[in-house]
Amino acid sequence: MVRSAGGRGGYGPREEVVAVRGGAVGGVVVAGLLVLSGAGPAGAWAGPEADVAYHGRVRLAQGQLRVWMVPQNEGPSAVPNATVRVRLSADLADRQELAGGCARVGRREVVCETGALPEHGRGRHIGLVLELRDRPAEVAVRIDTWWDGGATDRNRANNEHVVLALDTGDPYAF
């Protein structure tokens, strides 16, 4: 089941950074942006206009959630970097091995930098293997832009997704 999220409310307050993968320079940059600059939801600052989108899939099997996505920008302006947020309905395990450029920002949240998003182009592929504290029968995965590099994005329909993943090992696309 896939549906677009209709707004920002209902996901709880922002949490402090609780873990950053050691040696992940990009993850430290992301965490620094979140804590030091008070970066908030996309569109908080006026800037060049872009249309960031995320396409990918999620898969849940035996307490392990895999998320794979490709960020892209439909334009009209390039975005030097952005941050995608992945929020879960289940708690993450205490220890996580996160991809470079990614940081854990709460019990149920991970953020990853997208890298440069050229006008009408794609960013780097983002792959996460997230260990969950328990083995839930299903997990709701919310994907959205946390920081947009100062760009204005008027089309949120393609960068805010909610995917329900059942513990079947089947991939669910968004």
Side-chain angles (χ1 to χ4, degrees), residues 3-14 34 39-45 50-54 82-87 109 111 142-149 151-162:
R3 64 181 175 86
S4 293
R8 299 204 164 273
Y11 298 135
R14 292 187 197 122
L34 292 172
W45 298 285
D51 184 10
V52 177
Y54 304 105
T83 306
V84 61
R85 174 173 53 178
V86 178
R87 296 179 286 170
E109 269 182 77
V111 295
R142 293 173 173 83
I143 297 161
D144 63 357
T145 300
W146 177 247
W147 179 71
D148 61 8
T152 300
D153 188 342
R154 295 181 190 183
N155 179 13
R156 302 242 183 239
N158 59 3
N159 69 354
E160 294 182 354
H161 305 283
V162 178

Side-chain angles (χ1 to χ4, degrees), residues 8 13 15-16 21 31-32 44 67-68 72 75 83 86 92 100 113 117 126 131-132 135 140 145 156 158 163 165:
R8 299 204 164 273
E15 298 179 31
E16 65 182 314
R21 182 176 178 264
V67 180
W68 179 85
Q72 64 186 56
T83 306
V86 178
L92 292 163
E113 60 185 354
L117 298 174
I126 298 170
E131 301 294 334
L132 303 178
R135 291 178 66 173
T145 300
R156 302 242 183 239
N158 59 3
V163 182

Side-chain angles (χ1 to χ4, degrees), residues 93-124:
D94 291 338
R95 293 190 164 268
Q96 299 291 324
E97 281 291 323
L98 297 176
C102 295
R104 182 174 177 175
V105 294
R107 289 181 324 186
R108 298 178 172 190
E109 269 182 77
V110 173
V111 295
C112 296
E113 60 185 354
T114 63
L117 298 174
E119 177 182 340
H120 303 291
R122 293 182 172 179
R124 68 183 185 95

